[in-house]
């Protein structure tokens, strides 16, 4: 299956380049991660866990190909890849694919096929791949990326996004698993400075952690999601709420992220993010404090301090993140 996927990708890129490809953007990406775990009194080299995809020392690229002909913009192809280092993993180096999809700009709606964001909640319209702050996918509710297809339609003041994916997350597995999701959003963050949405999530999905399949058991998941984002002056407020059931366990979850943007072009950011999850009467609260500073147009420094109230555990993480444009132009 992996060989077939690589062959299909190579054939697709060759076809696009020969026929109608132009306007390519190629960026180089790298990061260093080091942290301290209070309970084990050890240095760590990841931001969430050893098996998670985010964040680890890595080097990769971000490739975007805009596709058009003499009449119109047809769409784009996106490929984002990292080679990450595992400190204690069975494999010292891990291949990580984030974006790997083709988007077709249709007259009625946009169609995306490949490794995409499922159409559910706050994560469906925000890019977290470089951030230390955790989203719900890192708490076992939903996926940051999944393999499948989505349709996106914009209206005057609102938008509709629906997706049908495998329900396996980062890795590609077919074991009778599936996931369907949809989000209706009102408002555009770049125009009205706000957006609010309601989402539905249903699947027989696999228990994966990062790129690792934990077991073959299919989990029945049904969620209702509510999310919002609001910009005001120097402040950015984000909220994500999940209500539903995973297997036979009732779940209520709330994430609130408050950001203070300072200095020219928001070079300095302060974040506070509580995440509360209630599962079958068990309450878990994690409080994260983050600072981000863009030292150079290509270099950003980030720190994260997180306290887990349920486990009485503390983490301190430092990241240096490098993202530089190598080539922009036509093929």
């Amino acid at each position: 299956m992996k060989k077939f996927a690589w062959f299909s990708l190579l054939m697709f890129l060759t076809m696009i380049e020969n026929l109608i490809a132009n306007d390519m953007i190629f960026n180089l990406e790298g990061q260093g991660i080091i942290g301290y775990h209070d309970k084990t009194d050890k240095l760590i080299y990841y931001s969430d866990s050893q098996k998670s995809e985010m964040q680890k020392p890595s080097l990769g690229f971000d490739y975007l190909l805009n596709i058009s002909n003499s009449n119109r913009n047809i769409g784009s192809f996106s490929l984002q890849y990292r080679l990450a280092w595992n400190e204690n993993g069975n494999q010292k180096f891990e291949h990580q694919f984030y974006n790997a999809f083709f988007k077709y700009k249709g007259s009625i709606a946009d169609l995306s096929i490949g490794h995409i964001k499922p159409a559910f909640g706050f994560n469906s319209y925000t890019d977290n791949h470089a951030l230390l702050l955790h989203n719900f996918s890192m708490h076992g509710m939903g996926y940051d990326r999944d393999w499948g297809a989505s349709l996106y339609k914009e209206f005057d003041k609102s938008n509709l996004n629906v997706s049908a994916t495998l329900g396996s997350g980062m890795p590609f597995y077919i074991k009778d698993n599936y996931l369907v999701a949809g989000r209706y959003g009102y408002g555009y963050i770049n125009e009205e400075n706000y957006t609010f949405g309601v989402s539905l999530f249903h699947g027989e999905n696999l228990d994966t952690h990062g790129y690792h399949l934990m077991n073959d058991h299919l989990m029945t998941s049904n969620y209702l999601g509510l999310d919002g984002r609001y910009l005001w002056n120097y402040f950015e407020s984000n909220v994500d709420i999940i209500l539903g059931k995973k297997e036979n366990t009732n779940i209520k979850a709330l994430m609130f992220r408050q950001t203070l943007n300072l200095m020219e072009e928001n070079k300095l950011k302060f974040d506070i993010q509580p995440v509360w999850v209630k599962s079958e009467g068990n309450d878990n609260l994690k409080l994260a404090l983050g600072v981000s500073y863009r030292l150079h147009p290509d270099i950003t420094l980030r720190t994260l301090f997180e306290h887990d109230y349920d486990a009485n555990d503390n983490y301190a993480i430092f990241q240096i993140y490098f993202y530089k444009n190598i080539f922009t132009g036509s093929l």
Side-chain angles (χ1 to χ4, degrees):
M1 184 63 70
K2 291 182 179 179
K3 291 182 179 180
F4 175 75
W6 276 107
F7 176 76
S8 300
L9 177 60
L10 179 62
M11 293 298 294
F12 175 78
L13 288 176
T14 302
M15 177 191 71
I16 291 298
E17 288 183 0
N18 289 336
L19 295 180
I20 48 179
N22 56 19
D23 295 338
M24 184 184 80
I25 301 174
F26 186 88
N27 298 308
L28 186 66
E29 178 192 49
Q31 64 177 320
I33 295 287
I34 189 169
Y36 174 73
H37 184 201
D38 176 57
K39 183 162 286 188
T40 61
D41 192 26
K42 290 183 178 180
L43 292 177
I44 56 176
Y45 302 93
Y46 48 81
S47 66
D48 180 50
S49 74
Q50 184 62 65
K51 290 184 177 180
S52 178
E53 70 276 11
M54 302 179 183
Q55 301 285 338
K56 300 175 183 177
S58 61
L59 181 65
F61 63 84
D62 191 5
Y63 172 83
L64 177 65
L65 183 68
N66 289 316
I67 305 165
S68 62
N69 57 24
S70 57
N71 297 321
R72 69 181 186 90
N73 180 19
I74 295 174
S76 61
F77 175 77
S78 179
L79 180 62
Q80 191 171 21
Y81 166 82
R82 290 176 182 170
L83 181 64
W85 178 61
N86 279 323
E87 178 199 6
N88 298 317
N90 294 328
Q91 295 182 336
K92 288 299 181 182
F93 293 96
E94 179 179 78
H95 298 284
Q96 296 187 347
F97 286 95
Y98 284 84
N99 296 331
F101 64 86
F102 169 67
K103 177 187 285 187
Y104 173 72
K105 301 285 291 184
S107 58
I108 298 177
D110 296 344
L111 170 65
S112 297
I113 301 175
H115 204 211
I116 61 172
K117 284 181 168 291
F120 184 74
F122 169 76
N123 191 57
S124 65
Y125 59 92
T126 55
D127 189 1
N128 297 283
H129 88 276
L131 302 184
L132 296 177
L133 292 166
H134 300 163
N135 55 41
F136 275 146
S137 68
M138 301 176 77
H139 290 266
M141 291 170 285
Y143 301 102
D144 188 75
R145 303 291 198 280
D146 201 8
W147 295 93
S150 68
L151 283 171
Y152 177 77
K153 171 67 175 177
E154 288 190 351
F155 305 99
D156 183 33
K157 292 287 185 179
S158 61
N159 55 80
L160 179 64
N161 189 11
V162 295
S163 63
T165 56
L166 289 181
S168 61
M170 290 295 177
F172 188 99
Y173 287 105
I174 299 178
K175 299 178 180 292
D176 295 326
N177 43 298
Y178 70 90
L179 169 63
V180 290
R183 178 185 182 271
Y184 176 77
Y186 183 82
Y188 293 98
I189 197 69
N190 294 327
E191 297 177 9
E192 290 87 15
N193 288 335
Y194 66 82
T195 182
F196 301 98
V198 57
S199 304
L200 294 174
F201 179 110
H202 169 71
E204 295 285 338
N205 46 296
L206 289 168
D207 183 12
T208 57
H209 193 175
Y211 292 84
H212 306 272
L213 178 64
M214 306 308 291
N215 56 71
D216 290 335
H217 174 67
L218 294 178
M219 302 180 297
T220 302
S221 302
N222 292 286
Y223 301 136
L224 167 68
L226 302 170
D227 65 83
R229 190 177 189 187
Y230 181 67
L231 304 180
W232 178 73
N233 207 346
Y234 301 104
F235 297 95
E236 177 182 338
S237 302
N238 300 278
V239 63
D240 202 10
I241 298 171
I242 289 180
L243 304 171
K245 181 174 287 190
K246 183 176 182 179
E247 289 287 72
N248 297 317
T249 302
N250 293 313
I251 291 177
K252 298 177 182 178
L254 169 66
M255 183 209 78
F256 179 74
R257 181 183 299 174
Q258 182 64 56
T259 302
L260 173 62
N261 297 305
L262 297 175
M263 302 181 65
E264 182 182 359
E265 298 181 345
N266 299 333
K267 289 175 61 175
L268 179 62
K269 295 176 179 284
F270 293 93
D271 296 287
I272 180 170
Q273 177 178 287
V275 177
W276 171 76
V277 179
K278 184 173 184 178
S279 174
E280 290 301 313
N282 296 319
D283 288 271
N284 185 21
L285 175 64
K286 293 183 178 181
L287 179 63
L289 303 175
V291 181
S292 173
Y293 179 67
R294 194 164 68 251
L295 182 66
H296 180 272
D298 303 328
I299 299 174
T300 301
L301 306 178
R302 298 186 179 97
T303 59
L304 178 73
F305 304 92
E306 184 177 76
H307 177 69
D308 187 330
Y309 285 86
D310 184 52
N312 192 25
D313 210 356
N314 297 287
Y315 293 85
I317 311 294
F318 173 76
Q319 175 198 49
I320 179 169
Y321 180 76
F322 173 79
Y323 190 83
K324 181 176 178 59
N325 178 253
I326 301 300
F327 177 82
T328 299
S330 300
L331 296 176

